[in-house]
Amino acid sequence: MGRIPLWRRYARLFGADPAGDVNDELQFHLEAKVGDLIDRGWPPDTARREAERQFGDIQAVREAGERMSKEKERDKQRRDYLGACVQDLRYAFRTLRRDRGFTLITVLILALGIGANTAVFSVVNTVLLRPLPFPNAQQLTWFTSGRSLNSGLREAAGLSGVTYTVAAYEEFQRHTRSFQSVTSYDPFFGDAEYTLTGRGEPQPVASVRVAGNFFGTLGVQPALGRFFSKEETQKNGRPAVLLSYPFWRRQFGGDPTIVGQAITLNKQSVIVVGVLPASFDFGSVFSPGMKVDAYVPAVMDNLRNWGNTLAIVGRLKPGVSVTQAQEEADILFPQFKAAHPEWWGDYTSTVTGLKDFVTGKLRRSLIVLWCAVGMIMLIVCVNLSNLLLARAVARNKEFAMRRALGAGRGRLFRQLLTESLVLSSAGALLGLGFAYALTLYIAHQGSIALPLLSSVRVDGAALTWTLLITVSGAVFFGLAPGLKASAGSLQDTLKDGGQGMSSGRRHERLRSVLVVSEMALACVLLVGAGLLLRSFLNVLDVDLGFQPSRAAVIKIAYDDGNSRARRGAILQEILRNIDSIPGVESAGITDMLPLGRNRSWGLKAKGRAYRKGENLSALVRIVTPDYLSAMGMHLRKGRDFTWQDTPKSAQVVIINEAAARRFWPGEDPVGRIALVEGETRVIGVISNVREHSLEVPAGPEMYLPVTQADPEGAELVVRTKLPPEALDSSVMKTLRLLNPAQPAAELRPLQQIVDHAVSPRRFFVLLVVSFAVLGLVLASLGIYGVISYSVTRRTQEIGIRMALGATAPQVQFTVIAKALRLAVIGIAFGTIGSFVVAKWIASLLFGTRPADPATFAGIVLLLGVVSLIAGYIPARRASHIDPMIALRNN
Amino acid sequence: MSKPADLVQGTLDLLLLKIVALEPLHAWAISQRLKQVSGEILQVSDGSLYPALHKLEQDGWIKGEWKVTENGRRAKFYSLTRPGRRALEREAANWERLAGAISQVVRLNEV
């Protein structure tokens, strides 16, 4: 070895050099050959050329050799790396198994954080990010009419204010150039309530009237059979029905031969022409929370004279943008209005992507949810970083030993990152389990009025997301401990008793910073959740205008042959029988309940001049006598309807206070004449009822008797002290007695319609609040961990102090003060952050100011108390330290 | 000069493995040794020697090590690895079979 020149020894100092090796080898060969040739008598200069000639294409050999050597080198590096990884992994498993408690807690915390993130991402992805479940869904658009009205008036007009007449729909269909196809459905659902008879117990069939090209426009293919033929969508055409997949499975046992057979709906024989695919869920897209059983053709000629009855959906031509479609609508609808002066509205329209219509309103809430869950992940990471730091300190000696034995810093760092990765992967696996359970649960919450919720599942995108947060989380929380462990002076650690004062203090500073940030994050999360919770409670506290408790409702069917007189007699008979059931206090019937479907008609005060184009619509409910009392609505003035209000008697109407203010400002409307269909006398005024949602105050509203106007559907409301289940059978028996075709239905608590209306808010609040609580627990664990560790580290110091006369309360005070100092700094930062966040979520709040002092004060107090407890436990331990033992130890 | 095609396909590997099996050698010595033991019959050109050696090395049958030659030069010495030894046995047995079969055919008496 001594004969190798010095520079040669270091030739490979900077790692392998495969190209150099090949070159050296070939060079050696040539030189050997030259020597050989010279020995045989060749002159040196020609010997060199001869050697090269004999070799042939030396360049090709060199390149091939280099290629192979490089590959070999790469292989070797990869093998080394993998080998080291396996070694690291094995070591990580071994250490983690030794520290079972630590591992368990860490994995659990990670599982909660990652699981929550995956579940929320699945929801966000399904509702917000993924396109609607139709081919080329980005081409689908939604039309909202009534753009010329201000939002208050549009709200007052309800669904009727944003829908279209058949004439407007057909005109647009004829003239548009931006759309490949324009279709529509009847969003008023109510009068498309059918009863299926002749197949066991009469069954209600919730159906939707759709235009003939509805499914074609959406790009849905039938699972069985076909869609409606042209003839079936014409007036007096052959009656046809399409079944939804779940209804087909439930009612017909998934029998494929049902296609082509006739079934009896409302005593009429109707041909089943097809079954929709399982993937098509009308409710989840167009009417969240609604289950649709069947689809019937919307016969335009029948709907023509019914006013605004259609919701329009269009499919854009390829390459046409929503903006271009909007521009076209802005030109077309005024033209139509000019051509048809008899039209009631001008149908100025807002064109939006269908996706925006379906989920646009949820965007803010979902993003808030996403951020909340992201903050949870941050808190989890900070918390774990903290835990691992504490562990790194405990393992200082181990690391120092390994470094003394030759492990590089990089290697130690890698080792710690491997541990973090193992932990976070285990957390992710468990978290995925949580997420699967949670998404499954969410997807089966049919009662939550959120679109697309039924299709929420942990899919490939969610798994990718999980992988991403798992890895980035591991790097994030493994970084600080890793750097700490691989840095630091080797000698100090080995010399020192394992609790080096200076490095220990630096550690503690870092850990304190982590705890403070954790506290701040938890504070922001809690304030946000607190504000949302308060808003939710405010919403629940709203005066609905009716009493949902102690009342139940059931859908009923009857056959009046379109005679108002007969309808009066039938409904009076039904109510008389229901009233006689023991336990029933009062009963009434309406066509539409509050917080559900609605429609609006024109209303004017007689003798008043109105500006042209002024919106004069009011929601209309067609009800029986006693409906108001069964609902627990307050009749402010005048009287309720009676059965003496017949088709032949004077026309009467009851209005709400909003209508009274709108049409008879400053006057007593009772006894005045209103213009509805004809002259109608106002006989009563009721308190406003929340109609659209709990958050939106009521607009003008009127109630007409069933004997003087035509209802759309019938809901029987029963006020009773008994629980609805107790009455269910007797009510159903009574109804069947009067109408054998009464479909099977359940008497459900009236509270359900309120619950349904607040379900989205409840859903978000529940999630955000549970995340906030999780954040609080993690933050208090963090503060506890740091204080507890500092007590352990200072056992000796505390012992000395106590030996010198410090009392237990004094010791406790110092420890608690330390905890509170961290908490106060964290809370201070958190409060500042909370103000920013509160401003951002202001639009989601209800009856709560973003800077609500009560919420802020409450959260600050809560965090203070929790940190006090988290500090008190180690403080107690500190005050129990026996000076003798503490001093003798070490 | 015999061209590589003169060697039966695949036998170059066998020859190289065999020579290296006797003692670790550098490439130059391998070609010299091959010439010498075969009585100058088997000659391998430099242009095919190196690719063959590198290929064997990449396959893990031989491994190269930088050592100093007797006259103080640094050269890459190839030696047989454990998988290389197994490969050599396999190849040698194959060769015996093949050579035996060929000579049987060649020795057939013409009628």
Side-chain angles (χ1 to χ4, degrees):
Chain A
M1 291 294 275
R3 288 166 70 193
I4 302 176
L6 191 64
W7 66 272
R8 276 286 197 193
R9 276 192 239 164
Y10 298 101
R12 297 295 176 268
L13 189 64
F14 303 105
D17 177 10
D21 281 347
V22 170
N23 207 26
D24 284 356
E25 190 178 18
L26 296 180
Q27 210 56 49
F28 172 79
H29 182 101
L30 283 178
E31 280 164 26
K33 186 144 219 163
V34 170
D36 186 46
L37 289 172
I38 290 173
D39 286 351
R40 286 202 229 154
W42 285 67
D45 50 337
T46 41
R48 175 108 206 147
R49 246 174 299 144
E50 174 60 16
E52 278 172 17
R53 192 193 60 76
Q54 280 188 19
F55 198 100
D57 189 355
I58 194 162
Q59 194 53 35
V61 171
R62 178 177 297 143
E63 276 165 16
E66 281 173 12
R67 214 168 37 241
M68 267 189 241
S69 317
K70 267 187 201 147
E71 222 162 277
K72 207 176 61 155
E73 188 59 34
R74 262 201 305 277
D75 266 7
K76 184 170 151 322
Q77 276 171 0
R78 211 165 13 215
R79 255 199 321 277
D80 280 359
Y81 186 80
L82 279 177
C85 275
V86 170
Q87 206 181 356
D88 282 352
L89 265 179
R90 216 175 278 150
Y91 188 76
F93 277 120
R94 218 167 41 230
T95 33
L96 291 177
R97 219 176 17 237
R98 224 178 16 232
D99 240 350
R100 231 167 251 170
F102 165 83
T103 309
L104 207 73
I105 288 187
T106 320
V107 168
L108 198 68
I109 289 175
L110 274 164
L112 284 174
I114 295 175
N117 268 280
T118 305
V120 167
F121 178 82
S122 303
V123 173
V124 170
N125 184 36
T126 311
V127 179
L128 222 52
L129 307 180
R130 231 166 31 198
L132 291 172
F134 304 116
N136 293 321
Q138 77 286 353
Q139 292 174 342
L140 294 172
T141 58
W142 178 261
F143 289 76
T144 312
S145 81
R147 191 149 75 110
S148 57
L149 306 177
N150 72 39
S151 62
L153 285 174
R154 202 160 51 211
E155 198 79 60
L159 203 46
S160 298
V162 293
T163 43
Y164 296 81
T165 55
V166 170
Y169 161 63
E170 286 179 345
E171 281 285 42
F172 188 75
Q173 215 174 22
R174 242 194 310 280
H175 290 96
T176 180
R177 286 164 190 283
S178 308
F179 290 88
Q180 346 179 355
S181 117
V182 177
T183 189
S184 61
Y185 69 89
D186 174 1
F188 291 88
F189 309 130
D191 56 336
E193 282 295 338
Y194 292 97
T195 306
L196 172 73
T197 48
R199 288 179 182 262
E201 202 183 10
Q203 290 293 331
V205 183
S207 47
V208 184
R209 262 196 277 265
V210 298
N213 63 345
F214 183 71
F215 300 106
T217 304
L218 293 182
V220 176
Q221 295 298 323
L224 283 174
R226 56 171 176 84
F227 292 141
F228 302 121
S229 70
K230 190 145 185 82
E231 192 241 326
E232 285 156 352
T233 58
Q234 306 282 304
K235 195 167 184 171
N236 300 325
R238 197 169 65 130
V241 65
L242 277 160
L243 305 180
S244 78
Y245 192 85
F247 184 68
W248 173 61
R249 294 300 298 262
R250 192 173 68 235
Q251 194 61 40
F252 301 103
D255 172 16
T257 62
I258 191 72
V259 174
Q261 287 185 36
I263 58 172
T264 310
L265 290 180
N266 286 8
K267 297 181 181 167
Q268 194 189 16
S269 169
V270 182
I271 303 290
V272 177
V273 296
V275 176
L276 283 150
S279 57
F280 179 72
D281 185 351
F282 180 91
S284 85
V285 176
F286 295 101
S287 178
M290 179 177 152
K291 288 267 165 282
V292 176
D293 299 323
Y295 303 85
V296 292
V299 176
M300 293 304 162
D301 285 333
N302 292 344
L303 298 176
R304 202 168 294 282
N305 299 321
W306 290 5
N308 294 354
T309 50
L310 295 177
I312 303 185
V313 176
R315 183 179 278 280
L316 290 165
K317 285 181 180 159
V320 178
S321 72
V322 172
T323 323
Q324 286 166 316
Q326 176 72 61
E327 281 163 10
E328 190 193 47
D330 287 346
I331 296 167
L332 285 182
F333 281 107
Q335 282 177 6
F336 302 157
K337 174 67 182 163
H340 302 273
E342 76 282 4
W343 280 9
W344 179 74
D346 59 6
Y347 300 107
T348 44
S349 298
T350 310
V351 184
T352 47
L354 183 58
K355 175 86 183 170
D356 274 348
F357 161 71
V358 173
T359 63
K361 278 170 288 188
L362 296 170
R363 177 175 296 271
R364 183 55 70 88
S365 307
L366 281 172
I367 290 177
V368 165
L369 197 60
W370 207 4
C371 291
V373 90
M375 279 172 90
I376 279 293
M377 196 60 210
L378 262 181
I379 295 181
V380 164
C381 285
V382 172
N383 209 331
L384 288 192
S385 192
N386 220 333
L387 270 174
L388 286 175
L389 262 180
R391 224 169 94 88
V393 173
R395 289 167 72 187
N396 242 346
K397 274 221 156 146
E398 171 201 335
F399 292 136
M401 185 61 76
R402 293 185 59 194
R403 278 186 52 199
L405 292 176
R409 290 179 179 203
R411 194 62 211 286
L412 276 187
F413 182 66
R414 227 174 82 187
Q415 166 66 47
L416 278 178
L417 265 192
T418 308
E419 267 183 48
S420 311
L421 262 176
V422 167
L423 284 174
S424 72
S425 306
L429 279 182
L430 191 61
L432 271 179
F434 288 164
Y436 268 108
L438 196 61
T439 46
L440 201 69
Y441 173 76
I442 289 173
H444 287 86
Q445 293 302 297
S447 58
I448 299 179
L450 285 176
L452 305 173
L453 216 53
S454 59
S455 50
V456 167
R457 55 186 52 88
V458 180
D459 57 1
L463 288 178
T464 314
W465 179 253
T466 310
L467 188 70
L468 195 78
I469 53 174
T470 305
V471 172
S472 50
V475 170
F476 182 67
F477 69 72
L479 205 59
L483 286 175
K484 270 277 168 217
S486 54
S489 160
L490 184 58
Q491 277 181 336
D492 278 1
T493 322
L494 283 177
K495 251 191 312 195
D496 191 60
Q499 294 183 6
M501 286 309 272
S502 58
S503 78
R505 202 158 278 154
R506 268 210 314 280
H507 258 103
E508 210 169 297
R509 172 109 27 89
L510 181 59
R511 297 195 63 194
S512 301
V513 169
L514 288 176
V515 163
V516 164
S517 47
E518 213 177 340
M519 222 40 194
L521 283 171
C523 177
V524 172
L525 208 56
L526 280 167
V527 168
L531 290 172
L532 289 174
L533 183 65
R534 213 171 135 84
S535 303
F536 178 62
L537 295 178
N538 284 340
V539 167
L540 290 187
D541 232 24
V542 153
D543 179 14
L544 296 167
F546 63 95
Q547 305 291 329
S549 56
R550 296 201 299 108
V553 60
I554 186 170
K555 230 181 242 310
I556 62 170
Y558 57 88
D559 184 12
D560 57 15
N562 273 337
S563 146
R564 290 179 177 178
R566 227 171 110 201
R567 182 187 311 140
I570 293 172
L571 295 185
Q572 187 176 7
E573 182 65 11
I574 290 178
L575 289 179
R576 204 176 53 76
N577 279 286
I578 296 287
D579 272 330
S580 66
I581 297 174
V584 173
E585 289 170 19
S586 63
I589 295 168
T590 181
D591 60 342
M592 293 179 196
L593 289 164
L595 301 174
R597 302 178 295 123
N598 59 50
R599 55 177 172 163
S600 62
W601 288 357
L603 175 66
K604 278 187 217 173
K606 191 187 174 191
R608 235 168 249 264
Y610 291 97
R611 271 180 297 110
K612 197 170 153 31
E614 198 172 346
N615 188 284
L616 298 168
S617 58
L619 296 188
V620 58
R621 311 284 186 203
I622 294 167
V623 303
T624 64
D626 283 339
Y627 166 70
L628 299 180
S629 66
M631 283 295 280
M633 292 176 176
H634 311 291
L635 193 62
R636 289 273 173 217
K637 287 187 193 133
R639 66 166 178 93
D640 189 6
F641 300 121
T642 67
W643 293 111
Q644 273 74 55
D645 298 314
T646 62
K648 296 199 176 60
S649 70
Q651 300 277 309
V652 287
V653 62
I654 295 175
I655 58 174
N656 71 350
E657 287 176 317
R661 257 199 310 280
R662 167 84 177 83
F663 297 102
W664 291 274
E667 297 172 41
D668 182 0
V670 175
R672 306 276 171 158
I673 300 298
L675 300 173
V676 185
E677 281 171 317
E679 292 200 355
T680 307
R681 186 173 298 277
V682 177
I683 57 162
V685 178
I686 61 157
S687 303
N688 287 337
V689 171
R690 298 276 157 149
E691 287 294 354
H692 307 285
S693 69
L694 276 74
E695 287 93 334
V696 181
E701 194 178 1
M702 62 178 149
Y703 292 77
L704 297 171
V706 282
T707 46
Q708 295 180 352
D710 296 321
E712 280 194 18
E715 306 264 6
L716 169 67
V717 179
V718 178
R719 181 150 293 273
T720 169
K721 283 200 180 68
L722 301 174
E725 312 83 72
L727 272 182
D728 198 18
S729 62
S730 44
V731 167
M732 185 46 81
K733 206 156 73 195
T734 311
L735 292 173
R736 281 271 161 81
L737 213 64
L738 298 167
N739 176 18
Q742 164 65 33
E746 213 177 307
L747 194 62
R748 37 187 225 286
L750 194 56
Q751 183 64 39
Q752 257 184 19
I753 64 169
V754 182
D755 291 345
H756 186 253
V758 297
S759 59
R761 193 178 273 275
R762 183 193 306 269
F763 176 74
F764 287 124
V765 166
L766 191 71
L767 286 179
V768 172
V769 167
S770 30
F771 295 154
V773 170
L774 185 62
L776 178 66
V777 170
L778 291 176
S780 46
L781 266 182
I783 216 166
Y784 166 79
V786 165
I787 299 301
S788 175
Y789 169 69
S790 98
V791 167
T792 311
R793 207 172 59 79
R794 295 204 180 141
T795 306
Q796 214 179 342
E797 176 196 328
I798 293 169
I800 294 174
R801 279 200 196 176
M802 290 181 84
L804 291 179
T807 59
Q810 274 171 342
V811 169
Q812 286 193 4
F813 177 77
T814 11
V815 176
I816 290 178
K818 195 176 158 78
L820 283 185
R821 199 163 58 237
L822 291 181
V824 164
I825 301 172
I827 292 169
F829 281 116
T831 312
I832 298 168
S834 302
F835 273 111
V836 179
V837 167
K839 276 248 161 55
W840 180 57
I841 60 168
S843 66
L844 300 177
L845 303 180
F846 178 78
T848 313
R849 278 183 301 132
D852 181 41
T855 309
F856 274 80
I859 297 302
V860 167
L861 200 68
L862 176 70
L863 280 169
V865 169
V866 167
S867 6
L868 197 67
I869 297 170
Y872 176 71
I873 302 169
R876 237 175 72 96
R877 192 156 57 82
S879 65
H880 284 69
I881 287 174
D882 184 336
M884 286 319 287
I885 296 173
L887 291 176
R888 217 181 296 134
N889 270 351
N890 201 30
Chain B
M1 291 293 294
S2 54
K3 295 194 179 77
D6 293 345
L7 288 166
V8 181
Q9 191 87 44
T11 50
L12 179 57
D13 287 356
L14 172 61
L15 295 171
L16 293 178
L17 287 173
K18 183 69 196 172
I19 291 184
V20 167
L22 303 174
E23 65 173 315
L25 285 174
H26 49 78
W28 168 252
I30 292 173
S31 69
Q32 295 299 100
R33 180 66 58 86
L34 186 59
K35 231 177 349 186
Q36 179 198 335
V37 296
S38 68
E40 307 273 321
I41 293 174
L42 294 174
Q43 281 193 32
V44 58
S45 78
D46 304 337
S48 36
L49 172 68
Y50 281 94
L53 280 173
H54 290 152
K55 177 81 177 43
L56 289 175
E57 188 184 14
Q58 199 187 16
D59 290 345
W61 289 355
I62 59 177
K63 63 172 194 283
E65 250 175 314
W66 287 91
K67 285 188 194 159
V68 182
T69 62
E70 54 268 39
N71 42 16
R73 308 274 325 254
R74 203 169 148 276
K76 193 173 178 187
F77 283 75
Y78 291 97
S79 56
L80 205 62
T81 62
R82 202 187 289 271
R85 186 163 299 282
R86 277 199 297 277
L88 172 59
E89 281 161 15
R90 209 165 47 239
E91 296 283 303
N94 266 347
W95 173 254
E96 297 287 348
R97 229 160 25 89
L98 195 62
I102 290 174
S103 45
Q104 261 184 4
V105 172
V106 171
R107 277 189 216 126
L108 281 177
N109 292 324
E110 288 175 42
V111 275

